Amino acid sequence: MVSYSFPLFFSLCLITLSQLFSLAISSPDQILLSKKKISHNQIPTPPLPILPLPTFSQLKWQQREVIMFLHFGVNTFTDSEWGTGHENPAIFNPIGLDATQWAKTAADAGISLMILTAKHHDGFCLWPSKYTDHSVVESSWKNGHGDVVQELVNAAKDYGIDVGLYLSPWDRHDSRYGYDLAYNEYYLAQLQELLSNYGSVREIWFDGAKGKNAPNMSYYFDDWMAMVKQLQSSINIFSDAGPDVRWVGNENGFAGTTSWSTINRTSLSIGNASIVEYLSTGDPYGRDWLPAECDVSIRNGWFWHKSESPKNLTQLLEIYYNSVGRNCLLLFNVPPNTTGLISQVDVQRLKEFRSAIDTIFSINLAEKCDINSSSQRGGKNGGFGPENVIDSDHLWTYWAPSDGKKNEHWIEFRSNDQGLRFNVIRIQEAIGLGQRIKQHEIYVDDECVAKGTTVGYKRLHRLEKGVVHGQIVRIRIKESRGVPLISSIGLHFDPFWHPHAQLSIQEVAGPNNTQMHHPKEP
Ligand code: FUL
């Protein structure tokens, strides 16, 4: 307890009284003025976020844009997509396997994460799991001393690439499958091996596929998820229902034109065909941040087949615009062949793909324009001006309109020389503070050339009428959750885009395309 002497107590009371008195005689205007004075001297702060928000690992994941899937295993040697589980492990013999070729191919394509099928539905393990003999140990490859997971990890490290693993829940080989306790223990034991012995793993893939005649059983998802998070702190867990990354609902590489990273996890479940539409669009009222990943193969099948060849560049670009350009990540499958290498035609196609993307996006015509906006948070020089949309930071510097303005927000680019000629518009939101934009329109010299709903991390519009030539480009945000925060805008020219030759989903997906991850049962 504090004790005061009487004179000290008396003078403290006097000071407080005189403060109260001066407050009482100052007019409301004076109070406002003194508040204003204070706010003038302060640096404008960022606006409050709008929940839900991405985690640190989800933000890192989103910035990767394109990642690589490697389907490899006994199916590669039997020319099949879904193995029976009865394959003789001796058939697995990729004599020229060179994981550095895989990593180099990825690095040359600007890919920073590779996900390997450590175990597919046939149950054959690409690492020497001590819990089964159905693995590389029983194969002819390296006389049973090989470990594909380890080779991938070593090669990826040399190229600065991260690793992810696919461990199929459905296992057609193991006799414990169908017995809840025994199989869940087996599955968890394998998860522990993969997530403890190979260093940092950035994504784990829980596939929802299961054949119609497979034994009925429950997976102990809560145990799996808890164990994964305990063993790998910066991992993202993929499944139809997250918790970190969700399936987009098809295997064509196409997201919905409306694409929210937010959704309600309580409405999702793994292997549920009735929610594919919800998975592809997400939910503006969703309470969970759970962005979508678009998995698609460079060939028709997931595994390598001699008879198949890679999709052409036009198809790959169509996929890119419809996945990365719709606020999603593109998980691109490039399957190693029976030698254990990515085929040269695929390597070549990936190179063409990367060089096309670089050609399209390396020049941003917006950089040469005068930029204006309807308003800006904190006034001129407040740090939230429209010029932030052309710097190289696509996350944490952004244009923010002032809070109070209820009207529509817009940002405008004026060419200061002979005009702008472009056919692609790129818009990116500062998603670190939540996904906000619900409706937007783009005008060139007062003519509407494109419109859409969500934006998210990245929205790409290829202009339906082809190349436009104009002086003033205005992007109008018609509706958003709170004020829109735009981190980057690009006006680009895509020499590969011919609107009349646009491909349909069927033309991109090929003949064996399936909506759910369920091909015909072998
Ligand atoms: C599906 C599987 O059935 C396919 O074989 C492939 O692995 C694909 C990525 O997921 O569910």
Side-chain angles (χ1 to χ4, degrees), residues 36-95:
K36 264 193 184 157
K37 264 190 198 141
I38 292 167
S39 73
H40 272 295
N41 295 336
Q42 287 172 342
I43 296 182
T45 55
L48 288 179
I50 293 189
L51 303 182
L53 297 185
T55 62
F56 182 80
S57 302
Q58 286 172 321
L59 267 186
K60 279 219 67 124
W61 169 91
Q62 186 90 52
Q63 288 170 283
R64 296 179 190 273
E65 299 201 356
V66 183
I67 59 177
M68 191 189 274
F69 224 170
L70 296 147
H71 274 67
F72 189 50
V74 283
N75 295 344
T76 312
F77 297 85
T78 57
D79 199 20
S80 51
E81 280 291 307
W82 275 7
T84 60
H86 302 300
E87 291 78 14
N88 180 350
I91 60 169
F92 184 81
N93 194 15
I95 41 171

Side-chain angles (χ1 to χ4, degrees), residues 443-458:
Y443 290 79
V444 176
D445 295 341
D446 290 331
E447 190 195 332
C448 182
V449 295
K451 54 169 119 177
T453 51
T454 50
V455 170
Y457 177 68
K458 188 175 272 191

Side-chain angles (χ1 to χ4, degrees), residues 323-465:
S323 54
V324 177
R326 292 181 180 171
N327 185 35
C328 289
L329 215 73
L330 170 56
L331 172 54
F332 213 9
N333 180 62
V334 190
N337 57 25
T338 44
T339 313
L341 295 172
I342 296 176
S343 299
Q344 267 316 308
V345 269
D346 297 20
V347 172
Q348 199 42 42
R349 193 51 43 79
L350 271 180
K351 276 198 180 135
E352 284 172 34
F353 173 61
R354 172 47 57 192
S355 113
I357 305 261
D358 291 346
T359 306
I360 302 165
F361 295 102
S362 56
I363 296 177
N364 181 3
L365 300 174
E367 286 171 12
K368 288 197 278 171
C369 295
D370 292 332
I371 313 177
N372 264 304
S373 59
S374 47
S375 67
Q376 68 188 67
R377 184 179 178 84
K380 226 178 158 29
N381 305 324
F384 299 99
E387 65 284 354
N388 287 339
V389 305
I390 51 158
D391 68 14
S392 58
D393 183 321
H394 295 178
L395 217 46
W396 294 114
T397 66
Y398 46 87
W399 162 57
S402 9
D403 268 341
K405 298 274 178 331
K406 288 274 178 295
N407 297 341
E408 172 190 302
H409 306 286
W410 53 261
I411 180 165
E412 188 181 84
F413 301 84
R414 268 171 199 267
S415 152
N416 37 33
D417 46 35
Q418 63 281 64
L420 301 160
R421 206 177 151 268
F422 63 95
N423 57 4
V424 172
I425 295 164
R426 172 177 54 83
I427 314 176
Q428 300 192 233
E429 279 188 76
I431 57 163
L433 293 166
Q435 187 179 347
R436 298 164 178 240
I437 297 174
K438 286 179 158 180
Q439 291 281 349
H440 63 284
E441 290 176 354
I442 299 151
Y443 290 79
V444 176
D445 295 341
D446 290 331
E447 190 195 332
C448 182
V449 295
K451 54 169 119 177
T453 51
T454 50
V455 170
Y457 177 68
K458 188 175 272 191
R459 179 69 194 252
L460 298 173
H461 286 282
R462 279 181 304 183
L463 300 184
E464 268 163 27
K465 288 192 185 148

Side-chain angles (χ1 to χ4, degrees), residues 69 71 81-82 120-121 166 205 207 209 251 295 302 517 519:
F69 224 170
H71 274 67
E81 280 291 307
W82 275 7
H120 202 252
H121 310 326
Y166 169 119
W205 239 74
D207 193 324
E251 294 180 340
D295 57 320
W302 291 102
H517 8 222

Side-chain angles (χ1 to χ4, degrees), residues 37-290:
K37 264 190 198 141
I38 292 167
S39 73
H40 272 295
N41 295 336
Q42 287 172 342
I43 296 182
T45 55
L48 288 179
I50 293 189
L51 303 182
L53 297 185
T55 62
F56 182 80
S57 302
Q58 286 172 321
L59 267 186
K60 279 219 67 124
W61 169 91
Q62 186 90 52
Q63 288 170 283
R64 296 179 190 273
E65 299 201 356
V66 183
I67 59 177
M68 191 189 274
F69 224 170
L70 296 147
H71 274 67
F72 189 50
V74 283
N75 295 344
T76 312
F77 297 85
T78 57
D79 199 20
S80 51
E81 280 291 307
W82 275 7
T84 60
H86 302 300
E87 291 78 14
N88 180 350
I91 60 169
F92 184 81
N93 194 15
I95 41 171
L97 189 144
D98 178 8
T100 58
Q101 188 247 7
W102 307 353
K104 182 172 184 325
T105 304
D108 289 348
I111 288 173
S112 66
L113 173 69
M114 302 165 84
I115 304 179
L116 173 71
T117 51
K119 177 177 91 167
H120 202 252
H121 310 326
D122 50 72
F124 179 78
C125 300
L126 293 184
W127 81 104
S129 170
K130 71 176 176 200
Y131 301 104
T132 180
D133 52 11
H134 198 57
S135 78
V136 277
V137 172
E138 294 289 307
S139 77
S140 325
W141 181 57
K142 296 195 169 179
N143 293 321
H145 296 294
D147 181 343
V148 187
V149 176
Q150 189 63 62
E151 299 223 2
L152 174 70
V153 166
N154 297 345
K157 197 168 175 198
D158 291 345
Y159 281 87
I161 293 178
D162 291 321
V163 167
L165 296 169
Y166 169 119
L167 183 68
S168 170
W170 181 35
D171 186 324
R172 305 184 88 186
H173 174 81
D174 200 86
S175 56
R176 284 163 281 200
Y177 195 84
Y179 300 94
D180 285 3
L181 178 62
Y183 183 74
N184 277 284
E185 285 180 350
Y186 173 61
Y187 190 85
L188 268 164
Q190 294 203 317
L191 256 186
Q192 288 171 60
E193 284 186 315
L194 290 174
L195 300 183
S196 311
N197 302 337
Y198 294 96
S200 173
V201 176
R202 296 304 171 95
E203 185 163 336
I204 182 97
W205 239 74
F206 292 141
D207 193 324
K210 182 171 171 172
K212 285 196 193 72
N213 303 323
N216 207 9
M217 71 164 292
S218 310
Y219 299 138
Y220 296 170
F221 286 119
D222 291 347
D223 300 35
W224 301 4
M225 311 284 180
M227 185 62 81
V228 170
K229 291 287 182 181
Q230 181 197 69
L231 297 174
Q232 296 278 339
S233 57
S234 47
I235 201 166
N236 284 308
I237 302 178
F238 168 99
S239 85
D240 293 352
D244 303 312
V245 176
R246 73 176 197 259
W247 186 45
V248 75
N250 66 70
E251 294 180 340
N252 312 318
F254 281 36
T257 46
T258 293
S259 177
W260 289 97
S261 292
T262 50
I263 203 162
N264 280 326
R265 279 197 66 207
T266 46
S267 310
L268 306 178
S269 55
I270 299 183
N272 178 356
S274 68
I275 53 168
V276 289
E277 187 59 35
Y278 188 58
L279 282 170
S280 103
T281 58
D283 186 343
Y285 305 104
R287 284 181 296 276
D288 304 291
W289 186 275
L290 188 47

